[in-house]
Amino acid sequence: MKESLFNPIFKIRMLFLIGALFVTSCSEQQKWTDTQSGTFQLVKNDGGATLGYSLSSGITLLTNKGFAFKDLNKNGKLDKYEDWRLPVDERAKDLASKMSIDQIAGLMLYSKHQSIPAGSRGPFSDTYGGKSFRDSGAKSSDLSDGQIKFLSEDNLRHVLLTRVESPLVAAEWNNNAQALVEGLGLGIPANNSSDPRHGTRSDQEYNAGAGGEISMWPGSLGLAATFNPDLVKEFGDIASREYRALGIATALSPQVDLSTDPRWMRVSGTFGENPQLAADMARAYIDGFQTSHSDSEIANGWGFQSVNAMVKHWPGGGTGEGGRDAHYGYGKYAVYPGNNFDQHLFPFIHGAFDLQDGTMKASAVMPYYTISFDQDPSGENVGNSYNKYIITDLLRNKYGYNGVLCTDWNITADETAIDVFMSGKSWGVEELSVEERHYKIIMAGVDQFGGNNDAGPVKAAYEMGVAEHGEKFMRERFEASAVRLLTNILQVGLFENPYLDTEVSTSVVGNADFMKAGFEAQLKSVVMLKNKGNVIPFKKDMNVYVPKRFYPPRRSFTGAETEGRLDYPVNMKIVEKYFKVTEKPQDADFAIVFVESPESGGGYNIADAKSGEGNGYFPINLQYGPYTAELARDPSIAGGDPLELIVNRSYKGKTVNSANYKDLESILETKKIMKNKPVIVSVNMSNPTVMAEFEKSVDGILVNFGVQDQALMDIISGISEPSGLLPLQMPATMEAVELQKEDIPQDMECYQDTEGNAYDFGFGLNWAGVINDARTTKYAAK
């Protein structure tokens, strides 16, 4: 029976229907605006996430309860991974379940080094339309042929950026790359990364109120020399803002290896040798990089200003036998003569995995190249990323780490030379094929392959796993890695908006406030070791003599050679703003000799090995004069490589010279010609140095770990007071270096100067004398 319009029951039903329609209409009312911002569209959800997408990618928007979402896989419906309201782990699991094995294999790749624009020659060169960049007519921000291939065909989404032409070019390149990958497959954005890029240009002048290319800070050892975790956290916060403005969402840092062997070539990248200081600096660094604040935060400290920190190198790389480094076959073995393996885990467990802010732990870890010799109870001696005990039993299970694990670069390639940096580093598994190496790494518990643009070996590894364990097992294993990798992309907001406003980027990177903070940190990092008679500071406009420095011939890690030259070691125009410069020592009131710590190579000489009379191994020298290793151990603890016939790597009785021995000659000659007038030595230090060769001859010693010349002049002239402390011990002799154990921190006999001061960890002077403050009480108290 038809209901009458005037029937009360019908009226009630109609009113209910109208009300329901009104509520539905309100709930679906559009709560977002879509505007163009440069080359991309910007969608602002009222009270929700801001989205960025490119019209060229073919992406359209979906609406749910009035909010906008990107239809990344173009299926016309809102999938969980596209829903920015859901928790990151739920989104990551949903997306991983939708990915093909080919797509997951691409996600497990981390690109070779990419320069923007690409060079025309050398190991990292590339082409544009088949031509060199110079001949192609391409823009600096265009994608190279290789980049288009690995993003499109190999499904790679993790790109390591090295040199960028400018912040503007970096931002434009990022937008081009993101537009490309947004339109492919499931729309997974690129997670671009960088090694540390905030070092100084020593000759560049700092002007208060002026900006620069990027803020400049002391190196890691310099940050450690401040003994100030709060300063390091400030660095991380500033650096993360500059990274995100460049399109970088992952930092391949910090390097928290304990530099327990002073000869190691990577000491300068660490926070020194003290476990507690390294842990505190690691925690501050990562909290600064990973934590977003206020409107930038998405959840749990993560957000649009966050940068994933890939802490390195598990389980510590500073114990190479004889101080040799595992980038080379001659340095592949990490040894533990002091049975002190566990202490090298301290900066990870009590620093990187124990953060104070919301992100809880470093989001990624990189194991080192080394074979942690005889540390696996099973007796297997293979590189750390291949070792199931080091990766799964210790890191994953014992210490509960469930973040991303990424190999160091080039570890699956074949070793072609024992002394070449660019050679493959498949330590301990040289007999395996490239595909078998990938499989062993995956089964050890690692997620990602550094420096590999090719998905082929990862897909082959998957098939090996299927043959051994079955499809279900291997699919779950790959999805586990995919979830970890996707989590790091999701938690920093790249799925919502991977695009950059170029004007914002150019205003953020290297802005005046950031430059000022970096320069002030440089001042705090300089360590004064000697100040005889309080000769420093010197009054403005006094006459100063600065001898030229001989720069020895060098060969870079890529094989490029530079000739030796004689030149001023500092920007003399900067010196002239503080003092009157004279080229005549007799007219000078004082002299400053600028030197670098001794350089003797990596402890191996291929010519000696090929001669048939030697094994190729030599000591690494921390003094300028010749050193003969009379106290070296014989036989070596570890040895063996497919490219050498010997196993004993001892260098006992061998003599080595430092390439920059003329630095010592310059110091002593300057003192001779200056007679009784003050001579100050400024050491740019990469490794601990035997000061006994020259300390008695000079009046002052300043140590820095990478600062601008102007920072040194500020201290020498008294504008700023030195406050840095040694993050490392200075050895009394090379014999003391030889007798210390590679794995034990602070176990050397330290040098004592003519003023009665021991150059031990935590030592430093200010104008009043030896520094004793809260920092030395906390870290350096005996």
Side-chain angles (χ1 to χ4, degrees):
M1 182 179 74
K2 292 183 179 180
E3 293 182 293
S4 168
L5 181 64
F6 301 100
N7 187 308
I9 296 177
F10 178 76
K11 288 181 179 180
I12 292 171
R13 286 179 175 175
M14 289 300 296
L15 287 171
F16 179 83
L17 178 61
I18 293 169
L21 289 172
F22 177 77
V23 170
T24 302
S25 175
C26 288
S27 67
E28 292 295 332
Q29 182 179 0
Q30 182 170 309
K31 301 176 182 178
W32 52 272
T33 57
D34 187 3
T35 58
Q36 185 172 354
S37 177
T39 59
F40 61 95
Q41 297 295 117
L42 200 62
V43 178
K44 294 185 178 180
N45 282 293
D46 184 15
T50 296
L51 313 180
Y53 70 99
S54 172
L55 293 177
S56 66
S57 69
I59 292 296
T60 57
L61 295 178
L62 301 168
T63 301
N64 180 274
K65 295 184 178 179
F67 293 111
F69 304 85
K70 294 195 290 186
D71 186 12
L72 291 168
N73 59 4
K74 304 175 185 177
N75 66 352
K77 67 177 184 178
L78 181 62
D79 295 284
K80 287 184 178 180
Y81 85 91
E82 297 166 333
D83 189 343
W84 44 261
R85 298 167 299 188
L86 297 178
V88 164
D89 60 343
E90 187 175 347
R91 298 175 68 189
K93 290 174 183 176
D94 176 65
L95 178 51
S97 70
K98 292 175 166 59
M99 296 177 72
S100 68
I101 293 303
D102 284 2
Q103 289 170 328
I104 296 177
L107 195 65
M108 296 170 77
L109 304 177
Y110 222 123
S111 81
K112 292 180 170 63
H113 299 67
Q114 302 296 310
S115 177
I116 311 299
S120 300
R121 61 185 67 182
F124 308 124
S125 61
D126 207 341
T127 57
Y128 295 79
K131 299 179 180 180
S132 69
F133 174 72
R134 181 181 301 173
D135 297 332
S136 67
K139 296 179 180 178
S140 296
S141 57
D142 286 347
L143 302 182
S144 69
D145 295 337
Q147 290 161 1
I148 294 171
K149 178 184 181 301
F150 65 59
L151 291 171
S152 303
E153 298 178 20
D154 290 289
N155 297 299
L156 184 150
R157 290 298 180 270
H158 294 81
V159 184
L160 174 58
L161 301 180
T162 55
R163 184 188 66 83
V164 295
E165 184 176 291
S166 67
L168 174 61
V169 167
E172 290 176 342
W173 181 91
N174 170 80
N175 291 349
N176 289 335
Q178 300 293 5
L180 172 64
V181 298
E182 188 174 64
L184 300 174
L186 296 165
I188 299 172
N191 181 359
N192 304 322
S193 69
S194 174
D195 279 309
R197 59 192 314 117
H198 281 84
T200 61
R201 277 187 51 192
S202 62
D203 62 345
Q204 186 166 327
E205 184 176 3
Y206 166 71
N207 291 303
E213 294 177 1
I214 195 167
S215 63
M216 294 190 287
W217 297 72
S220 293
L221 269 183
L223 292 174
T226 69
F227 279 54
N228 185 347
D230 289 339
L231 182 149
V232 174
K233 187 173 182 179
E234 179 189 23
F235 161 72
D237 180 66
I238 288 174
S240 69
R241 294 169 187 270
E242 293 185 306
Y243 271 33
R244 291 305 298 264
L246 293 168
I248 295 168
T250 294
L252 303 189
S253 58
Q255 184 186 335
V256 303
D257 314 76
L258 294 180
S259 51
T260 49
D261 192 290
R263 299 165 290 191
W264 187 34
M265 77 174 194
R266 301 196 70 176
V267 165
S268 64
T270 73
F271 293 127
E273 62 182 311
N274 182 272
Q276 188 62 60
L277 180 63
D280 290 350
M281 293 300 188
R283 183 186 309 108
Y285 186 108
I286 298 167
D287 270 333
F289 264 92
Q290 291 190 167
T291 306
S292 287
H293 303 279
S294 302
D295 293 342
S296 295
E297 183 179 4
I298 297 172
N300 302 318
W302 291 104
F304 295 101
Q305 287 298 335
S306 298
V307 172
N308 293 290
M310 185 180 291
V311 63
K312 55 190 184 184
H313 305 87
W314 180 265
T319 68
E321 186 162 19
R324 297 184 294 271
D325 181 66
H327 277 86
Y328 305 90
Y330 61 69
K332 64 168 68 173
Y333 295 104
V335 297
Y336 301 88
N339 195 29
N340 199 38
F341 175 86
D342 288 347
Q343 193 170 32
H344 287 262
L345 309 183
F346 191 94
F348 295 91
I349 300 164
H350 300 288
F353 304 161
D354 185 26
L355 304 183
Q356 291 180 338
D357 294 343
T359 64
M360 303 300 290
K361 66 182 184 302
S363 65
V365 173
M366 182 188 294
Y368 203 40
Y369 296 114
T370 45
I371 295 171
S372 298
F373 189 71
D374 281 355
Q375 298 305 303
D376 184 342
S378 74
E380 184 177 41
N381 281 308
V382 294
N384 292 315
S385 288
Y386 292 99
N387 192 299
K388 186 176 181 293
Y389 170 74
I390 296 290
I391 299 302
T392 292
D393 295 354
L394 284 184
L395 183 54
R396 292 285 193 206
N397 295 342
K398 183 175 181 178
Y399 296 111
Y401 184 78
N402 197 37
V404 167
L405 297 184
C406 178
T407 74
D408 214 327
W409 263 233
N410 211 27
I411 75 164
T412 57
D414 293 331
E415 181 186 21
T416 56
I418 197 170
D419 65 332
V420 175
F421 185 93
M422 302 299 292
S423 174
K425 308 168 203 313
S426 49
W427 309 145
V429 294
E430 293 89 348
E431 77 285 355
L432 299 182
S433 68
V434 171
E435 293 77 12
E436 289 169 334
R437 292 170 193 158
H438 281 74
Y439 180 52
K440 186 171 178 64
I441 288 170
I442 291 170
M443 299 311 292
V446 177
D447 304 300
Q448 199 167 29
F449 300 91
N452 182 3
N453 296 1
D454 181 8
V458 185
K459 292 186 282 187
Y462 179 82
E463 296 302 327
M464 292 178 189
V466 170
E468 183 173 357
H469 299 286
E471 184 87 38
K472 182 177 183 295
F473 174 92
M474 211 57 196
R475 171 76 200 191
E476 289 177 352
R477 172 65 192 87
F478 264 49
E479 280 196 32
S481 284
V483 168
R484 296 184 191 115
L485 292 161
L486 291 169
T487 294
N488 286 5
I489 304 176
L490 283 159
Q491 65 194 6
V492 297
L494 289 174
F495 273 84
E496 279 59 71
N497 183 19
Y499 296 96
L500 299 172
D501 182 322
T502 56
E503 290 186 5
V504 172
S505 291
T506 54
S507 67
V508 167
V509 180
N511 71 52
D513 289 341
F514 293 173
M515 297 296 288
K516 181 176 184 289
F519 187 75
E520 289 176 350
Q522 293 177 46
L523 292 170
K524 294 174 183 177
S525 73
V526 177
V527 183
M528 184 164 68
L529 294 183
K530 184 175 182 180
N531 191 18
K532 184 179 178 181
N534 295 322
V535 65
I536 307 173
F538 294 93
K539 294 180 180 179
K540 184 176 175 62
D541 293 333
M542 290 181 71
N543 295 317
V544 65
Y545 169 65
V546 178
K548 290 184 177 180
R549 180 175 184 264
F550 178 73
Y551 291 82
R554 295 179 185 272
R555 184 177 184 180
S556 73
F557 70 90
T558 62
E561 295 185 354
T562 56
E563 296 181 353
R565 74 184 199 281
L566 187 68
D567 202 353
Y568 280 113
V570 291
N571 184 336
M572 296 305 292
K573 290 183 178 180
I574 290 177
V575 179
E576 289 170 353
K577 293 187 176 183
Y578 294 81
F579 306 108
K580 295 177 180 177
V581 174
T582 177
E583 295 184 2
K584 297 178 180 180
Q586 62 270 25
D587 294 337
D589 297 308
F590 69 103
I592 312 172
V593 184
F594 294 89
V595 299
E596 297 180 3
S597 47
E599 308 167 26
S600 68
Y604 187 82
N605 187 313
I606 191 68
D608 179 75
K610 290 181 176 180
S611 71
E613 298 179 0
N615 64 359
Y617 291 87
F618 282 82
I620 296 173
N621 195 5
L622 300 183
Q623 66 184 31
Y624 295 105
Y627 165 63
T628 301
E630 299 291 356
L631 300 180
R633 70 168 64 100
D634 188 11
S636 61
I637 294 174
D641 187 273
L643 299 184
E644 62 183 5
L645 300 176
I646 56 95
V647 175
N648 184 5
R649 294 182 164 191
S650 175
Y651 49 80
K652 186 172 183 178
K654 287 189 173 180
T655 300
V656 66
N657 298 297
S658 288
N660 59 330
Y661 66 92
K662 286 188 176 292
D663 279 351
L664 176 62
E665 291 183 0
S666 180
I667 295 170
L668 299 180
E669 179 63 24
T670 299
K671 180 59 182 177
K672 182 179 178 181
I673 60 178
M674 290 293 292
K675 297 180 181 178
N676 294 323
K677 290 184 285 189
V679 173
I680 309 303
V681 173
S682 176
V683 185
N684 183 2
M685 186 171 287
S686 299
N687 291 83
T689 299
V690 176
M691 302 281 185
E693 293 177 299
F694 63 86
E695 179 272 324
K696 296 176 183 177
S697 301
V698 302
D699 301 276
I701 300 174
L702 295 171
V703 169
N704 77 87
F705 306 96
V707 300
Q708 292 170 261
D709 299 337
Q710 189 170 348
L712 295 172
M713 291 299 106
D714 270 10
I715 287 175
I716 293 172
S717 67
I719 294 175
S720 295
E721 182 174 13
S723 62
L725 303 170
L726 283 177
L728 303 155
Q729 293 182 317
M730 296 297 112
T733 61
M734 272 307 298
E735 286 72 23
V737 173
E738 207 68 69
L739 292 174
Q740 60 90 39
K741 292 180 171 64
E742 286 93 337
D743 59 327
I744 303 290
Q746 298 170 227
D747 65 336
M748 278 195 303
E749 177 190 359
C750 297
Y751 181 71
Q752 184 167 323
D753 70 11
T754 55
E755 305 296 294
N757 294 315
Y759 294 173
D760 203 345
F761 170 82
F763 173 75
L765 300 173
N766 57 22
W767 301 145
V770 177
I771 297 172
N772 288 296
D773 57 19
R775 299 173 300 160
T776 58
T777 300
K778 180 175 181 178
Y779 295 108
K782 297 295 184 183

